[in-house]
PDB file of all heavy atoms in Angstrom:
ATOM      1  N   PHE A1328       0.794  -1.205  -0.026  1.00  0.00           N
ATOM      2  CA  PHE A1328      -0.040  -0.020  -0.050  1.00  0.00           C
ATOM      3  C   PHE A1328       0.863   1.242  -0.093  1.00  0.00           C
ATOM      4  O   PHE A1328       0.571   2.216  -0.664  1.00  0.00           O
ATOM      5  CB  PHE A1328      -0.963   0.016   1.202  1.00  0.00           C
ATOM      6  CG  PHE A1328      -2.156  -0.839   0.974  1.00  0.00           C
ATOM      7  CD1 PHE A1328      -2.425  -1.891   1.871  1.00  0.00           C
ATOM      8  CD2 PHE A1328      -3.047  -0.647  -0.101  1.00  0.00           C
ATOM      9  CE1 PHE A1328      -3.489  -2.740   1.713  1.00  0.00           C
ATOM     10  CE2 PHE A1328      -4.167  -1.489  -0.341  1.00  0.00           C
ATOM     11  CZ  PHE A1328      -4.336  -2.523   0.554  1.00  0.00           C
ATOM     12  N   LYS A1329       1.944   1.255   0.699  1.00  0.00           N
ATOM     13  CA  LYS A1329       2.897   2.393   0.764  1.00  0.00           C
ATOM     14  C   LYS A1329       3.428   2.585  -0.656  1.00  0.00           C
ATOM     15  O   LYS A1329       3.523   3.710  -1.139  1.00  0.00           O
ATOM     16  CB  LYS A1329       4.043   2.114   1.698  1.00  0.00           C
ATOM     17  CG  LYS A1329       3.571   2.411   3.173  1.00  0.00           C
ATOM     18  CD  LYS A1329       4.808   2.042   4.042  1.00  0.00           C
ATOM     19  CE  LYS A1329       4.361   2.105   5.557  1.00  0.00           C
ATOM     20  NZ  LYS A1329       5.575   1.672   6.343  1.00  0.00           N
ATOM     21  N   THR A1330       3.713   1.546  -1.378  1.00  0.00           N
ATOM     22  CA  THR A1330       4.364   1.495  -2.663  1.00  0.00           C
ATOM     23  C   THR A1330       3.491   2.200  -3.667  1.00  0.00           C
ATOM     24  O   THR A1330       3.774   2.910  -4.501  1.00  0.00           O
ATOM     25  CB  THR A1330       4.885   0.142  -3.121  1.00  0.00           C
ATOM     26  OG1 THR A1330       5.713  -0.399  -2.172  1.00  0.00           O
ATOM     27  CG2 THR A1330       5.556   0.145  -4.522  1.00  0.00           C
ATOM     28  N   LEU A1331       2.179   1.776  -3.606  1.00  0.00           N
ATOM     29  CA  LEU A1331       1.108   2.367  -4.406  1.00  0.00           C
ATOM     30  C   LEU A1331       1.040   3.886  -4.233  1.00  0.00           C
ATOM     31  O   LEU A1331       0.716   4.575  -5.280  1.00  0.00           O
ATOM     32  CB  LEU A1331      -0.162   1.611  -4.127  1.00  0.00           C
ATOM     33  CG  LEU A1331      -0.353   0.216  -4.772  1.00  0.00           C
ATOM     34  CD1 LEU A1331      -1.664  -0.357  -4.235  1.00  0.00           C
ATOM     35  CD2 LEU A1331      -0.276   0.184  -6.163  1.00  0.00           C
ATOM     36  N   GLY A1332       1.088   4.415  -3.006  1.00  0.00           N
ATOM     37  CA  GLY A1332       1.001   5.775  -2.754  1.00  0.00           C
ATOM     38  C   GLY A1332       2.111   6.603  -3.141  1.00  0.00           C
ATOM     39  O   GLY A1332       2.051   7.798  -3.120  1.00  0.00           O
ATOM     40  N   ARG A1333       3.316   6.005  -3.367  1.00  0.00           N
ATOM     41  CA  ARG A1333       4.478   6.807  -3.704  1.00  0.00           C
ATOM     42  C   ARG A1333       4.366   7.341  -5.102  1.00  0.00           C
ATOM     43  O   ARG A1333       3.803   6.797  -5.914  1.00  0.00           O
ATOM     44  CB  ARG A1333       5.791   5.927  -3.646  1.00  0.00           C
ATOM     45  CG  ARG A1333       6.105   5.595  -2.149  1.00  0.00           C
ATOM     46  CD  ARG A1333       7.481   4.802  -2.187  1.00  0.00           C
ATOM     47  NE  ARG A1333       7.558   4.116  -0.832  1.00  0.00           N
ATOM     48  CZ  ARG A1333       7.851   2.914  -0.689  1.00  0.00           C
ATOM     49  NH1 ARG A1333       8.035   2.177  -1.710  1.00  0.00           N
ATOM     50  NH2 ARG A1333       7.937   2.458   0.616  1.00  0.00           N
ATOM     51  N   ALA A1334       5.004   8.570  -5.222  1.00  0.00           N
ATOM     52  CA  ALA A1334       5.100   9.164  -6.605  1.00  0.00           C
ATOM     53  C   ALA A1334       6.229   8.707  -7.345  1.00  0.00           C
ATOM     54  O   ALA A1334       7.245   9.370  -7.449  1.00  0.00           O
ATOM     55  CB  ALA A1334       5.073  10.659  -6.455  1.00  0.00           C
ATOM     56  N   LYS A1335       6.166   7.539  -7.803  1.00  0.00           N
ATOM     57  CA  LYS A1335       7.274   6.874  -8.538  1.00  0.00           C
ATOM     58  C   LYS A1335       7.303   7.414 -10.002  1.00  0.00           C
ATOM     59  O   LYS A1335       6.207   7.835 -10.502  1.00  0.00           O
ATOM     60  CB  LYS A1335       7.232   5.335  -8.555  1.00  0.00           C
ATOM     61  CG  LYS A1335       7.650   4.729  -7.175  1.00  0.00           C
ATOM     62  CD  LYS A1335       7.624   3.213  -7.324  1.00  0.00           C
ATOM     63  CE  LYS A1335       8.373   2.546  -6.233  1.00  0.00           C
ATOM     64  NZ  LYS A1335       8.385   1.164  -6.428  1.00  0.00           N
ATOM     65  N   ARG A1336       8.243   7.211 -10.652  1.00  0.00           N
ATOM     66  CA  ARG A1336       8.445   7.429 -12.035  1.00  0.00           C
ATOM     67  C   ARG A1336       7.493   6.551 -12.826  1.00  0.00           C
ATOM     68  O   ARG A1336       7.437   5.332 -12.660  1.00  0.00           O
ATOM     69  CB  ARG A1336       9.747   7.192 -12.674  1.00  0.00           C
ATOM     70  CG  ARG A1336       9.998   7.575 -14.019  1.00  0.00           C
ATOM     71  CD  ARG A1336      11.354   7.360 -14.398  1.00  0.00           C
ATOM     72  NE  ARG A1336      11.458   7.524 -15.811  1.00  0.00           N
ATOM     73  CZ  ARG A1336      12.706   7.364 -16.539  1.00  0.00           C
ATOM     74  NH1 ARG A1336      13.743   7.062 -15.752  1.00  0.00           N
ATOM     75  NH2 ARG A1336      12.658   7.570 -17.663  1.00  0.00           N
ATOM     76  N   ASP A1337       6.558   7.265 -13.603  1.00  0.00           N
ATOM     77  CA  ASP A1337       5.414   6.536 -14.451  1.00  0.00           C
ATOM     78  C   ASP A1337       5.772   6.860 -15.824  1.00  0.00           C
ATOM     79  O   ASP A1337       5.671   8.065 -16.247  1.00  0.00           O
ATOM     80  CB  ASP A1337       4.192   7.013 -13.789  1.00  0.00           C
ATOM     81  CG  ASP A1337       2.997   6.169 -14.552  1.00  0.00           C
ATOM     82  OD1 ASP A1337       3.240   5.260 -15.249  1.00  0.00           O
ATOM     83  OD2 ASP A1337       1.867   6.564 -14.383  1.00  0.00           O
ATOM     84  N   VAL A1338       6.031   5.898 -16.664  1.00  0.00           N
ATOM     85  CA  VAL A1338       6.227   6.129 -18.073  1.00  0.00           C
ATOM     86  C   VAL A1338       5.018   6.818 -18.768  1.00  0.00           C
ATOM     87  O   VAL A1338       5.202   7.551 -19.628  1.00  0.00           O
ATOM     88  CB  VAL A1338       6.507   4.729 -18.726  1.00  0.00           C
ATOM     89  CG1 VAL A1338       6.700   4.821 -20.189  1.00  0.00           C
ATOM     90  CG2 VAL A1338       7.663   4.071 -18.083  1.00  0.00           C
ATOM     91  N   ALA A1339       3.828   6.589 -18.266  1.00  0.00           N
ATOM     92  CA  ALA A1339       2.642   7.179 -18.816  1.00  0.00           C
ATOM     93  C   ALA A1339       2.600   8.714 -18.674  1.00  0.00           C
ATOM     94  O   ALA A1339       2.020   9.499 -19.300  1.00  0.00           O
ATOM     95  CB  ALA A1339       1.353   6.558 -18.263  1.00  0.00           C
ATOM     96  N   ARG A1340       3.326   9.158 -17.534  1.00  0.00           N
ATOM     97  CA  ARG A1340       3.327  10.497 -17.158  1.00  0.00           C
ATOM     98  C   ARG A1340       4.386  11.278 -17.933  1.00  0.00           C
ATOM     99  O   ARG A1340       4.570  12.604 -17.960  1.00  0.00           O
ATOM    100  CB  ARG A1340       3.497  10.855 -15.728  1.00  0.00           C
ATOM    101  CG  ARG A1340       2.290  10.357 -14.979  1.00  0.00           C
ATOM    102  CD  ARG A1340       2.366  10.728 -13.524  1.00  0.00           C
ATOM    103  NE  ARG A1340       3.810  10.552 -12.982  1.00  0.00           N
ATOM    104  CZ  ARG A1340       4.166  10.714 -11.726  1.00  0.00           C
ATOM    105  NH1 ARG A1340       3.343  11.126 -10.885  1.00  0.00           N
ATOM    106  NH2 ARG A1340       5.394  10.583 -11.434  1.00  0.00           N
ATOM    107  N   GLU A1341       5.276  10.567 -18.528  1.00  0.00           N
ATOM    108  CA  GLU A1341       6.525  11.269 -19.155  1.00  0.00           C
ATOM    109  C   GLU A1341       6.175  12.012 -20.489  1.00  0.00           C
ATOM    110  O   GLU A1341       5.250  11.561 -21.108  1.00  0.00           O
ATOM    111  CB  GLU A1341       7.577  10.185 -19.508  1.00  0.00           C
ATOM    112  CG  GLU A1341       8.292   9.638 -18.252  1.00  0.00           C
ATOM    113  CD  GLU A1341       9.465   8.747 -18.711  1.00  0.00           C
ATOM    114  OE1 GLU A1341       9.816   8.573 -19.739  1.00  0.00           O
ATOM    115  OE2 GLU A1341       9.988   8.138 -17.701  1.00  0.00           O
ATOM    116  N   ARG A1342       6.702  13.109 -20.478  1.00  0.00           N
ATOM    117  CA  ARG A1342       6.517  13.801 -21.896  1.00  0.00           C
ATOM    118  C   ARG A1342       7.850  14.188 -22.455  1.00  0.00           C
ATOM    119  O   ARG A1342       8.909  14.324 -21.807  1.00  0.00           O
ATOM    120  CB  ARG A1342       5.763  15.265 -21.529  1.00  0.00           C
ATOM    121  CG  ARG A1342       4.466  15.034 -20.883  1.00  0.00           C
ATOM    122  CD  ARG A1342       3.832  16.466 -20.729  1.00  0.00           C
ATOM    123  NE  ARG A1342       4.818  17.362 -20.134  1.00  0.00           N
ATOM    124  CZ  ARG A1342       4.447  18.622 -19.790  1.00  0.00           C
ATOM    125  NH1 ARG A1342       3.267  19.039 -19.994  1.00  0.00           N
ATOM    126  NH2 ARG A1342       5.312  19.417 -19.339  1.00  0.00           N
ATOM    127  N   SER A1343       7.901  14.327 -23.830  1.00  0.00           N
ATOM    128  CA  SER A1343       9.101  14.535 -24.553  1.00  0.00           C
ATOM    129  C   SER A1343       9.499  16.002 -24.181  1.00  0.00           C
ATOM    130  O   SER A1343       8.616  16.950 -24.341  1.00  0.00           O
ATOM    131  CB  SER A1343       8.826  14.371 -26.037  1.00  0.00           C
ATOM    132  OG  SER A1343       9.913  15.038 -26.818  1.00  0.00           O
ATOM    133  N   LEU A1344      10.722  16.192 -23.881  1.00  0.00           N
ATOM    134  CA  LEU A1344      11.176  17.567 -23.592  1.00  0.00           C
ATOM    135  C   LEU A1344      11.243  18.400 -24.881  1.00  0.00           C
ATOM    136  O   LEU A1344      10.821  19.523 -24.851  1.00  0.00           O
ATOM    137  CB  LEU A1344      12.658  17.386 -23.158  1.00  0.00           C
ATOM    138  CG  LEU A1344      13.316  18.668 -22.617  1.00  0.00           C
ATOM    139  CD1 LEU A1344      12.432  19.408 -21.525  1.00  0.00           C
ATOM    140  CD2 LEU A1344      14.667  18.473 -22.107  1.00  0.00           C
ATOM    141  N   GLU A1345      11.624  17.833 -25.924  1.00  0.00           N
ATOM    142  CA  GLU A1345      11.524  18.493 -27.232  1.00  0.00           C
ATOM    143  C   GLU A1345      10.118  19.105 -27.630  1.00  0.00           C
ATOM    144  O   GLU A1345       9.874  20.132 -28.019  1.00  0.00           O
ATOM    145  CB  GLU A1345      12.116  17.676 -28.330  1.00  0.00           C
ATOM    146  CG  GLU A1345      13.557  17.535 -28.308  1.00  0.00           C
ATOM    147  CD  GLU A1345      14.128  16.774 -29.504  1.00  0.00           C
ATOM    148  OE1 GLU A1345      13.414  16.624 -30.615  1.00  0.00           O
ATOM    149  OE2 GLU A1345      15.156  16.040 -29.348  1.00  0.00           O
ATOM    150  N   ALA A1346       9.052  18.232 -27.390  1.00  0.00           N
ATOM    151  CA  ALA A1346       7.752  18.554 -27.640  1.00  0.00           C
ATOM    152  C   ALA A1346       7.264  19.668 -26.690  1.00  0.00           C
ATOM    153  O   ALA A1346       6.565  20.647 -27.137  1.00  0.00           O
ATOM    154  CB  ALA A1346       6.774  17.286 -27.598  1.00  0.00           C
ATOM    155  N   ALA A1347       7.659  19.583 -25.432  1.00  0.00           N
ATOM    156  CA  ALA A1347       7.306  20.620 -24.491  1.00  0.00           C
ATOM    157  C   ALA A1347       7.850  21.972 -24.873  1.00  0.00           C
ATOM    158  O   ALA A1347       7.287  23.124 -24.856  1.00  0.00           O
ATOM    159  CB  ALA A1347       7.690  20.179 -23.104  1.00  0.00           C
ATOM    160  N   LEU A1348       9.223  21.961 -25.295  1.00  0.00           N
ATOM    161  CA  LEU A1348       9.915  23.096 -25.794  1.00  0.00           C
ATOM    162  C   LEU A1348       9.257  23.652 -27.054  1.00  0.00           C
ATOM    163  O   LEU A1348       9.077  24.905 -27.197  1.00  0.00           O
ATOM    164  CB  LEU A1348      11.357  22.817 -26.026  1.00  0.00           C
ATOM    165  CG  LEU A1348      12.196  22.692 -24.807  1.00  0.00           C
ATOM    166  CD1 LEU A1348      13.596  22.297 -25.105  1.00  0.00           C
ATOM    167  CD2 LEU A1348      12.199  23.969 -23.871  1.00  0.00           C
ATOM    168  N   ASP A1349       8.799  22.785 -27.991  1.00  0.00           N
ATOM    169  CA  ASP A1349       8.208  23.279 -29.212  1.00  0.00           C
ATOM    170  C   ASP A1349       6.804  23.915 -28.887  1.00  0.00           C
ATOM    171  O   ASP A1349       6.618  25.017 -29.423  1.00  0.00           O
ATOM    172  CB  ASP A1349       7.988  22.134 -30.149  1.00  0.00           C
ATOM    173  CG  ASP A1349       9.243  21.599 -30.799  1.00  0.00           C
ATOM    174  OD1 ASP A1349      10.328  22.473 -30.814  1.00  0.00           O
ATOM    175  OD2 ASP A1349       9.244  20.500 -31.261  1.00  0.00           O
ATOM    176  N   GLN A1350       6.068  23.231 -27.936  1.00  0.00           N
ATOM    177  CA  GLN A1350       4.843  24.024 -27.553  1.00  0.00           C
ATOM    178  C   GLN A1350       5.002  25.199 -26.873  1.00  0.00           C
ATOM    179  O   GLN A1350       4.247  26.297 -27.145  1.00  0.00           O
ATOM    180  CB  GLN A1350       3.976  22.924 -26.678  1.00  0.00           C
ATOM    181  CG  GLN A1350       3.442  21.765 -27.258  1.00  0.00           C
ATOM    182  CD  GLN A1350       2.833  20.786 -26.342  1.00  0.00           C
ATOM    183  OE1 GLN A1350       3.005  20.985 -25.109  1.00  0.00           O
ATOM    184  NE2 GLN A1350       2.173  19.809 -26.863  1.00  0.00           N
ATOM    185  N   SER A1351       6.014  25.288 -26.109  1.00  0.00           N
ATOM    186  CA  SER A1351       6.349  26.578 -25.366  1.00  0.00           C
ATOM    187  C   SER A1351       6.666  27.604 -26.361  1.00  0.00           C
ATOM    188  O   SER A1351       6.174  28.798 -26.161  1.00  0.00           O
ATOM    189  CB  SER A1351       7.409  26.309 -24.413  1.00  0.00           C
ATOM    190  OG  SER A1351       7.903  27.505 -23.850  1.00  0.00           O
ATOM    191  N   SER A1352       7.572  27.424 -27.284  1.00  0.00           N
ATOM    192  CA  SER A1352       8.018  28.400 -28.259  1.00  0.00           C
ATOM    193  C   SER A1352       6.849  28.857 -29.135  1.00  0.00           C
ATOM    194  O   SER A1352       6.691  29.943 -29.466  1.00  0.00           O
ATOM    195  CB  SER A1352       9.146  27.963 -29.088  1.00  0.00           C
ATOM    196  OG  SER A1352       8.905  26.850 -29.797  1.00  0.00           O
ATOM    197  N   GLU A1353       5.972  27.808 -29.455  1.00  0.00           N
ATOM    198  CA  GLU A1353       4.664  28.221 -30.295  1.00  0.00           C
ATOM    199  C   GLU A1353       3.843  29.138 -29.577  1.00  0.00           C
ATOM    200  O   GLU A1353       3.337  30.072 -30.095  1.00  0.00           O
ATOM    201  CB  GLU A1353       4.002  26.925 -30.673  1.00  0.00           C
ATOM    202  CG  GLU A1353       4.740  26.081 -31.725  1.00  0.00           C
ATOM    203  CD  GLU A1353       4.052  24.754 -31.864  1.00  0.00           C
ATOM    204  OE1 GLU A1353       2.988  24.445 -31.361  1.00  0.00           O
ATOM    205  OE2 GLU A1353       4.626  23.978 -32.654  1.00  0.00           O
ATOM    206  N   ARG A1354       3.651  28.761 -28.133  1.00  0.00           N
ATOM    207  CA  ARG A1354       2.693  29.776 -27.432  1.00  0.00           C
ATOM    208  C   ARG A1354       3.351  31.095 -27.243  1.00  0.00           C
ATOM    209  O   ARG A1354       2.685  32.084 -27.443  1.00  0.00           O
ATOM    210  CB  ARG A1354       2.548  29.186 -26.065  1.00  0.00           C
ATOM    211  CG  ARG A1354       1.586  28.076 -26.024  1.00  0.00           C
ATOM    212  CD  ARG A1354       1.105  27.735 -24.543  1.00  0.00           C
ATOM    213  NE  ARG A1354       0.368  26.468 -24.530  1.00  0.00           N
ATOM    214  CZ  ARG A1354       0.855  25.324 -24.071  1.00  0.00           C
ATOM    215  NH1 ARG A1354       2.072  25.279 -23.623  1.00  0.00           N
ATOM    216  NH2 ARG A1354       0.035  24.271 -24.084  1.00  0.00           N
ATOM    217  N   LEU A1355       4.695  31.085 -27.072  1.00  0.00           N
ATOM    218  CA  LEU A1355       5.316  32.496 -26.965  1.00  0.00           C
ATOM    219  C   LEU A1355       5.322  33.208 -28.336  1.00  0.00           C
ATOM    220  O   LEU A1355       4.935  34.439 -28.302  1.00  0.00           O
ATOM    221  CB  LEU A1355       6.842  32.297 -26.530  1.00  0.00           C
ATOM    222  CG  LEU A1355       7.608  33.546 -26.329  1.00  0.00           C
ATOM    223  CD1 LEU A1355       6.938  34.360 -25.130  1.00  0.00           C
ATOM    224  CD2 LEU A1355       9.033  33.148 -25.956  1.00  0.00           C
ATOM    225  N   GLN A1356       5.550  32.461 -29.308  1.00  0.00           N
ATOM    226  CA  GLN A1356       5.438  33.239 -30.749  1.00  0.00           C
ATOM    227  C   GLN A1356       4.021  33.656 -30.968  1.00  0.00           C
ATOM    228  O   GLN A1356       3.869  34.743 -31.502  1.00  0.00           O
ATOM    229  CB  GLN A1356       5.867  32.093 -31.738  1.00  0.00           C
ATOM    230  CG  GLN A1356       6.178  32.739 -33.250  1.00  0.00           C
ATOM    231  CD  GLN A1356       7.368  33.670 -33.140  1.00  0.00           C
ATOM    232  OE1 GLN A1356       8.129  33.658 -32.186  1.00  0.00           O
ATOM    233  NE2 GLN A1356       7.456  34.432 -34.215  1.00  0.00           N
ATOM    234  N   ALA A1357       3.013  32.751 -30.645  1.00  0.00           N
ATOM    235  CA  ALA A1357       1.607  33.186 -30.832  1.00  0.00           C
ATOM    236  C   ALA A1357       1.273  34.514 -30.058  1.00  0.00           C
ATOM    237  O   ALA A1357       0.531  35.419 -30.359  1.00  0.00           O
ATOM    238  CB  ALA A1357       0.710  32.138 -30.517  1.00  0.00           C
ATOM    239  N   TRP A1358       1.834  34.507 -28.774  1.00  0.00           N
ATOM    240  CA  TRP A1358       1.566  35.668 -27.901  1.00  0.00           C
ATOM    241  C   TRP A1358       2.118  36.918 -28.436  1.00  0.00           C
ATOM    242  O   TRP A1358       1.631  37.938 -28.332  1.00  0.00           O
ATOM    243  CB  TRP A1358       2.098  35.284 -26.486  1.00  0.00           C
ATOM    244  CG  TRP A1358       1.885  36.333 -25.552  1.00  0.00           C
ATOM    245  CD1 TRP A1358       0.816  36.859 -24.999  1.00  0.00           C
ATOM    246  CD2 TRP A1358       2.992  37.098 -24.852  1.00  0.00           C
ATOM    247  NE1 TRP A1358       1.101  37.789 -24.101  1.00  0.00           N
ATOM    248  CE2 TRP A1358       2.340  38.020 -23.996  1.00  0.00           C
ATOM    249  CE3 TRP A1358       4.388  37.059 -24.967  1.00  0.00           C
ATOM    250  CZ2 TRP A1358       3.180  38.857 -23.187  1.00  0.00           C
ATOM    251  CZ3 TRP A1358       5.107  37.901 -24.149  1.00  0.00           C
ATOM    252  CH2 TRP A1358       4.479  38.803 -23.328  1.00  0.00           C
ATOM    253  N   LEU A1359       3.363  36.859 -28.956  1.00  0.00           N
ATOM    254  CA  LEU A1359       4.044  37.920 -29.449  1.00  0.00           C
ATOM    255  C   LEU A1359       3.718  38.345 -30.836  1.00  0.00           C
ATOM    256  O   LEU A1359       3.903  39.538 -31.196  1.00  0.00           O
ATOM    257  CB  LEU A1359       5.603  37.641 -29.460  1.00  0.00           C
ATOM    258  CG  LEU A1359       6.260  37.600 -28.037  1.00  0.00           C
ATOM    259  CD1 LEU A1359       7.658  37.217 -28.254  1.00  0.00           C
ATOM    260  CD2 LEU A1359       6.018  38.847 -27.244  1.00  0.00           C
ATOM    261  N   ALA A1360       3.097  37.466 -31.657  1.00  0.00           N
ATOM    262  CA  ALA A1360       2.873  37.761 -33.029  1.00  0.00           C
ATOM    263  C   ALA A1360       1.550  37.821 -33.540  1.00  0.00           C
ATOM    264  O   ALA A1360       0.662  37.082 -32.988  1.00  0.00           O
ATOM    265  CB  ALA A1360       3.675  36.775 -33.999  1.00  0.00           C
ATOM    266  N   ALA A1361       1.234  38.470 -34.564  1.00  0.00           N
ATOM    267  CA  ALA A1361      -0.061  38.467 -35.182  1.00  0.00           C
ATOM    268  C   ALA A1361       0.056  37.486 -36.359  1.00  0.00           C
ATOM    269  O   ALA A1361       1.259  37.025 -36.702  1.00  0.00           O
ATOM    270  CB  ALA A1361      -0.421  39.826 -35.722  1.00  0.00           C
ATOM    271  N   GLU A1362      -1.015  37.305 -37.033  1.00  0.00           N
ATOM    272  CA  GLU A1362      -1.002  36.264 -38.175  1.00  0.00           C
ATOM    273  C   GLU A1362      -0.015  36.697 -39.278  1.00  0.00           C
ATOM    274  O   GLU A1362       0.874  35.928 -39.785  1.00  0.00           O
ATOM    275  CB  GLU A1362      -2.383  36.041 -38.757  1.00  0.00           C
ATOM    276  CG  GLU A1362      -3.270  35.116 -37.850  1.00  0.00           C
ATOM    277  CD  GLU A1362      -2.855  33.761 -37.963  1.00  0.00           C
ATOM    278  OE1 GLU A1362      -2.451  33.326 -39.092  1.00  0.00           O
ATOM    279  OE2 GLU A1362      -2.981  33.119 -36.926  1.00  0.00           O
ATOM    280  N   GLN A1363      -0.169  38.028 -39.738  1.00  0.00           N
ATOM    281  CA  GLN A1363       0.704  38.448 -40.808  1.00  0.00           C
ATOM    282  C   GLN A1363       1.295  39.715 -40.319  1.00  0.00           C
ATOM    283  O   GLN A1363       0.721  40.610 -39.769  1.00  0.00           O
ATOM    284  CB  GLN A1363      -0.111  38.794 -42.055  1.00  0.00           C
ATOM    285  CG  GLN A1363      -0.753  37.501 -42.634  1.00  0.00           C
ATOM    286  CD  GLN A1363      -1.449  37.869 -43.923  1.00  0.00           C
ATOM    287  OE1 GLN A1363      -1.589  38.986 -44.283  1.00  0.00           O
ATOM    288  NE2 GLN A1363      -1.953  36.762 -44.547  1.00  0.00           N
ATOM    289  N   SER A1364       2.648  39.698 -40.352  1.00  0.00           N
ATOM    290  CA  SER A1364       3.382  40.923 -39.922  1.00  0.00           C
ATOM    291  C   SER A1364       4.399  41.366 -40.827  1.00  0.00           C
ATOM    292  O   SER A1364       5.034  40.476 -41.488  1.00  0.00           O
ATOM    293  CB  SER A1364       3.915  40.828 -38.408  1.00  0.00           C
ATOM    294  OG  SER A1364       4.714  39.643 -38.459  1.00  0.00           O
ATOM    295  N   SER A1365       4.949  42.514 -40.764  1.00  0.00           N
ATOM    296  CA  SER A1365       5.991  43.003 -41.566  1.00  0.00           C
ATOM    297  C   SER A1365       7.379  42.478 -41.013  1.00  0.00           C
ATOM    298  O   SER A1365       7.409  42.025 -39.878  1.00  0.00           O
ATOM    299  CB  SER A1365       5.966  44.560 -41.643  1.00  0.00           C
ATOM    300  OG  SER A1365       6.301  45.109 -40.396  1.00  0.00           O
ATOM    301  N   PRO A1366       8.506  42.551 -41.757  1.00  0.00           N
ATOM    302  CA  PRO A1366       9.664  42.137 -41.279  1.00  0.00           C
ATOM    303  C   PRO A1366      10.172  43.025 -40.062  1.00  0.00           C
ATOM    304  O   PRO A1366      10.804  42.426 -39.171  1.00  0.00           O
ATOM    305  CB  PRO A1366      10.619  42.395 -42.489  1.00  0.00           C
ATOM    306  CG  PRO A1366       9.817  42.352 -43.732  1.00  0.00           C
ATOM    307  CD  PRO A1366       8.462  42.810 -43.242  1.00  0.00           C
ATOM    308  N   SER A1367       9.814  44.246 -40.056  1.00  0.00           N
ATOM    309  CA  SER A1367      10.218  45.088 -38.910  1.00  0.00           C
ATOM    310  C   SER A1367       9.457  44.625 -37.695  1.00  0.00           C
ATOM    311  O   SER A1367      10.128  44.645 -36.602  1.00  0.00           O
ATOM    312  CB  SER A1367       9.997  46.603 -39.215  1.00  0.00           C
ATOM    313  OG  SER A1367       8.597  46.824 -39.265  1.00  0.00           O
ATOM    314  N   GLU A1368       8.149  44.256 -37.817  1.00  0.00           N
ATOM    315  CA  GLU A1368       7.406  43.688 -36.653  1.00  0.00           C
ATOM    316  C   GLU A1368       7.968  42.455 -36.173  1.00  0.00           C
ATOM    317  O   GLU A1368       8.092  42.114 -35.017  1.00  0.00           O
ATOM    318  CB  GLU A1368       6.021  43.553 -37.044  1.00  0.00           C
ATOM    319  CG  GLU A1368       5.245  44.950 -37.201  1.00  0.00           C
ATOM    320  CD  GLU A1368       3.810  44.742 -37.766  1.00  0.00           C
ATOM    321  OE1 GLU A1368       3.525  43.694 -38.396  1.00  0.00           O
ATOM    322  OE2 GLU A1368       2.916  45.587 -37.441  1.00  0.00           O
ATOM    323  N   GLN A1369       8.428  41.613 -37.094  1.00  0.00           N
ATOM    324  CA  GLN A1369       9.082  40.342 -36.781  1.00  0.00           C
ATOM    325  C   GLN A1369      10.415  40.540 -35.967  1.00  0.00           C
ATOM    326  O   GLN A1369      10.681  39.836 -35.054  1.00  0.00           O
ATOM    327  CB  GLN A1369       9.358  39.441 -38.034  1.00  0.00           C
ATOM    328  CG  GLN A1369       8.054  38.964 -38.654  1.00  0.00           C
ATOM    329  CD  GLN A1369       8.256  38.199 -39.955  1.00  0.00           C
ATOM    330  OE1 GLN A1369       9.439  38.114 -40.410  1.00  0.00           O
ATOM    331  NE2 GLN A1369       7.332  37.633 -40.582  1.00  0.00           N
ATOM    332  N   ALA A1370      11.106  41.518 -36.497  1.00  0.00           N
ATOM    333  CA  ALA A1370      12.383  41.882 -35.730  1.00  0.00           C
ATOM    334  C   ALA A1370      12.092  42.412 -34.329  1.00  0.00           C
ATOM    335  O   ALA A1370      12.789  42.088 -33.380  1.00  0.00           O
ATOM    336  CB  ALA A1370      13.128  42.929 -36.652  1.00  0.00           C
ATOM    337  N   ASP A1371      11.021  43.253 -34.329  1.00  0.00           N
ATOM    338  CA  ASP A1371      10.716  43.689 -32.944  1.00  0.00           C
ATOM    339  C   ASP A1371      10.270  42.480 -32.030  1.00  0.00           C
ATOM    340  O   ASP A1371      10.694  42.492 -30.832  1.00  0.00           O
ATOM    341  CB  ASP A1371       9.484  44.682 -33.077  1.00  0.00           C
ATOM    342  CG  ASP A1371      10.029  46.059 -33.581  1.00  0.00           C
ATOM    343  OD1 ASP A1371      11.153  46.408 -33.525  1.00  0.00           O
ATOM    344  OD2 ASP A1371       9.048  46.853 -33.965  1.00  0.00           O
TER     345      ASP A1371
END
């Protein structure tokens, strides 16, 4: 019962670090950018 309650490493809970970074950068990009922007807006 103690073993069941421990927060052991569970393969089902693992997420790819690369996928998480991609999602993070996509969210940040969407937050900072509009759909279509000029090169100067992209530089900003």
